[in-house]
Amino acid sequence: MKSPSIIKNSVLPPYLKYHAVSDIGLLRDNNEDSWLIMPEYGIFIVADGLGGHQAGEVASKEAVEIFESHFLSLIKEKGAPDTLRNLERYLLESLYAANREIFLLG
């Protein structure tokens, strides 16, 4: 199924508004959450830092940075996703890349 709006415009309806807010909660001294917003592709990612785990803030930050870098490199290499199926492939490949890198950092 073709969805030309993925390439030329945002996949989001023009009236959708978004923002990100995070809270450290009652037990932590720092916020370990990270997020990535790529509205032109309908991508909104929250990486929970898993407070209390060693280097949770590093893992969540690296996860979103690796995902974004990999996703954008796919676009540069193969072009913008022109179907929902291609978008799904880019998303999965980028998620796997981030997961693999975070696992190796641990």
Side-chain angles (χ1 to χ4, degrees):
M1 172 183 216
K2 285 273 192 189
S3 180
S5 64
I6 292 173
I7 302 171
K8 296 183 179 165
N9 302 309
S10 170
V11 293
L12 302 174
Y15 54 83
L16 183 65
K17 295 181 181 179
Y18 54 86
H19 66 276
V21 176
S22 186
D23 188 292
I24 62 171
L26 300 174
L27 302 176
R28 307 283 170 238
D29 293 328
N30 64 324
N31 189 342
E32 297 186 353
D33 302 338
S34 297
W35 58 81
L36 173 66
I37 299 173
M38 299 175 76
E40 64 275 24
Y41 299 104
I43 296 173
F44 298 85
I45 295 175
V46 175
D48 188 322
L50 296 174
H53 288 78
Q54 187 174 359
E57 71 281 359
V58 174
S60 69
K61 182 177 183 279
E62 288 291 321
V64 296
E65 288 177 358
I66 294 165
F67 176 92
E68 180 179 33
S69 175
H70 192 81
F71 189 85
L72 293 175
S73 72
L74 286 171
I75 291 172
K76 185 175 181 180
E77 178 185 323
K78 300 178 180 183
D82 58 351
T83 65
L84 292 177
R85 181 70 179 138
N86 284 340
L87 177 60
E88 179 183 21
R89 287 184 183 128
Y90 285 23
L91 290 171
L92 288 174
E93 192 173 322
S94 299
L95 285 170
Y96 291 145
N99 185 66
R100 183 175 50 252
E101 292 299 318
I102 297 304
F103 181 78
L104 292 174
L105 285 174

